Each structure stands twice: as structure tokens, then as C-alpha cells.
Amino acid sequence: MRKHNFVVLCACAALVAGTANAQMQNLLPERDTLMNHIRNLSSSQYEGRLSGSEGYWRAAEYAIQSLARYGVQPYQGDWSQLFETECNEVKSASLLTYLNQNDTRTVYVLGRDFSCAGMTGRGYANADVVFCGYGIDNGTFDEYANVDAQGKIVLCLSGVPSWLPSDVTKNYASLRDKARTAHKHGACALIAINMSPSCPDDEPQARVYCGEPPHLPTFPILQPTKSCGRALMADEKMTLDSAVSLLESTMTPQSFHLRKHIETKVETRYQPASLTGNIVGIYPGTDNAMKNEYVVVGAHLDHAGMQGKTCIFPGADQNASGVAILLETARLLKQAEEQPDRSIIFVLFGSGEQQYLGSQIFVSNFTPLKRIEVFVNLENLGGGDSVAALGDMKYPGLWDVAHQMDTTYTHFLYHRSKSNPKGNALAFDAIGIPSLSFTNFNGERHNHVPSDIAENIDRSYLTRAAKLVFETVYELSFGNYQGRSALSRKYRFE
């Protein structure tokens, strides 16, 4: 057992933590090792790690080799927990505008001005354009009522208006929802301007998940940046900004026909059931009575892939940073003089970008679920103001462990996020496993964009986050914190 005695009052925590610290080996994460993992995983050889693609499996092999080097063994003799996922590889995409057939074309560039929706269809369109606001045709708010979309390209805004009730907007929130609506009205393609506040105006985002099937295999769905959207609507009846302003102020449709024509062509390789998988390893505990209790540490390995030959979404922060810290946690465990009592399960989830499918698959297929004491998730830990540990509202005792490790070692934890479990932790929380997600606080400047590269990782932040994660996981690997067996008990320090 780790050399702490935790049973009584939190009031003495600081004193005892300081005393205990003198008894422990102070293992430090290696910044270069962390950064090497991130540089590797975000490099072009893995092509953005799209789940179900060859690039994803090459990244998985890299992670397996790293885990094995750090003393982690394949769980029950097999590293891979296989399952199927929707996989859509965008091979090429073009977008251009013109006023008249013989006029000069304005060409927009994939990866600079626009991206394709994760589940875009393939196809060619050269047509007139109609602006249809948010692309809604529900009851009294019908943005298709005064325009003819038949045979045309629909230009709209991403997202939904705040003033409409959720039972209306839920049917038009995703790009696939909007595309199905446009397709129903006879349109030949959808171009949805990215209005997300989390995205820079001049850099395209890519997200694999863009709504539930069915897939529209021959219906292109493109997503220009806000800057590109402004250019598409320049010199028209309304600019992008004036159209948005009128929609917000009048709460009435502002649809109209554009003067411009748009030509677009998209080529894809769509697989409705491509083979992907979770990578699952075990670092065996050393205590005969506790080695069959598990601490699960997880991070999703996949990202948004590559579009065309030059547009890559590297995913250095999202989520090579989380994977790197998971791998570094394994390396530090191997170095620890006092080895864990509990066994630690390391999971790299596939299809995390598809509504965290991999974590759902894991909990549905991991047989000794009742032996999992706690789940720790790692995501987006490459920069920010501090580290947030989400889940403190539902599992305050678990949060107290992270807080005390932070007090002892890093002073880097956002005090209280007052949150429930999120992301991969949702699948564990749903079956009663105490869960905590380490992520950044105010650090998503490069979220799902091409500039999410290793050079934009905050190395000091990464190292401190890795230290906090390791010490928390290390502490949980001993018997002081009891999760499923004592959910109502607070974690207290003598």
C-alpha cells in the first residue's frame, strides 16, 4: 500500500501530505518523451487517425509498441477490442463561384477556406444558389417557403437559432439534418457556413460526427469558414452579417436567391461498417487481494482524419495530448519503487469522435465490470489556464483525490468545475462507475482545425498536467479510495 494513511479529517491534509511526500519517490514526467509521442501521433504518416482508416491502425500499432515497452500487457492476450464504425474518407473536394458562365472563377481552397462534413456524400454540382438561413422548414418557421431549392445548391448557417423551441431545433441541429431537409426540397448540395464560436473565422474545422444516418451517398456537404462565408455572400441582397442580424432581430426567415453560381465536386470513400477497435492493456497489480480490482485510464486515439492530399487535421491536442499522458503514466508506473496494488487497465478508444462510441463498446464487452473501482479519462491536455477535473458534482470523493494530489504536487487544478462526467466517462457513469475527466480549462484555441499541431502544444502545461494525472492514478491504484464499494464515503486524509 502506498505510504499514506487516509481515514480521518481533511483539515490535516496539508500537513500530512507534506510528511507523506518526503516518504515517496517523486517521479517526474519527461517533457521530451511526451512531446515525441505527440509529434509522432500528429504526423502525416497517421493521416489524422480517422477511426476505421489505415492511418488509425498505424497509430494504434505505435501506441501498442509504446505500452508494451512500458510494461503494459495485452488484456487477456489481445490488444484489440474490435468493432465496426462508419468511416468516410474525403479523397478530394473543390469549391468555386462565378457570376456568368464566361466570367473568371473565384476558387476556394480545401483546408484553407472550407472543409467537408465528416459524412459528406460524393458528387458534382454546378448550380444556382439559395440562402435558407438555418435550413429549417418547420411549421410557422419555414425558410424554404419563399425560395425554390429545386436543382440548386442550398447555402445556410450551421447551428440553430436560440429563439426557437428545442423540440423544433433538435431536428435541424446537425449537418446531416440540414442536408436531408435540403435534399427533400430538391437541392443538389448543401454548403453550411461554420458559425461555431469555438472555431476561428478563418480556419476550417472538421468533425467526423455530423448527425445520425441514413447516409446521403451522392449529396455533397461542405462547410466553409465564416470568412469564406462572408465572401460567398458578398455583393448579394444581404451580406452574411446582415442576414444573421436580421434573423436575430426579426426572428423571421430571411431566405433569398443569390446572383452567384457555385460549382463543387467531392470524391469520397464511404464505408458503412469499417473495422476499427479499442486498444486495451493491463498493468498488473501486485497485491494478491486487490490485483483483481481495476483502475481504468482511457483516452480516445482517433481524430478527424485527412481531406484531399494536403488537408490534414493532426489532432495534436485533440487528442494526441491525452494519449501521450496516458503513455507517460504507464512509463512512470514502471519506474515507481512501490508498485500498484490494484491493476490498471489502459484503454485507447476508437471512434471517440463519433459520440464516444469506443467507450460504449468497452463497457459493453469488458466482462469484470463490477471490479472496476474508478475510470479516469484524458482529453485535450495540451494547453490552457489550468486543468479541469470534470465529474466533481457527482463524485466529490474522487475529485478530492485529484485535489489532494494537486495540492501536494502541481497546484494546477481548476478549483471546482461543478460538473458531471462528460465524454468517454458517460459510458462508465451510466453503469455506476465513479468517473473523472481531466481536460483543459480555457485551452481550445486549435479545436479540430489544421493548426492543431505539435508546435502549438504548451510544453509546460503538458508536463504539469501529466504529473497531476500520474499522481492521481497512482494514488487510486492503492486501496485508500474505494469507488463502487463505497460511493457514499468521502476520501479523507489523516
Side-chain angles (χ1 to χ4, degrees), residues 394-459:
K394 192 163 187 180
Y395 302 110
L398 178 56
W399 189 89
D400 284 347
V401 180
H403 181 238
Q404 284 299 328
M405 295 303 102
D406 179 63
T407 299
T408 304
Y409 295 105
T410 56
H411 305 282
F412 203 40
L413 186 66
Y414 182 70
H415 181 58
R416 290 305 285 260
S417 57
K418 297 182 180 178
S419 63
N420 287 315
K422 295 182 181 179
N424 288 309
L426 289 171
F428 292 82
D429 173 62
I431 55 175
I433 296 174
S435 304
L436 205 62
S437 290
F438 287 99
T439 188
N440 69 66
F441 184 76
N442 288 338
E444 297 189 354
R445 290 185 297 277
H446 305 284
N447 193 18
H448 285 258
V449 295
S451 63
D452 186 10
I453 57 178
E455 287 74 12
N456 285 327
I457 295 293
D458 184 330
R459 290 152 175 76

Side-chain angles (χ1 to χ4, degrees), residues 33-43 316 320-321 324 454 457 462:
T33 301
L34 287 161
M35 286 306 303
N36 283 339
H37 287 315
I38 292 175
R39 287 191 193 95
N40 272 298
L41 290 168
S42 60
S43 68
S321 63
I457 295 293
L462 179 73

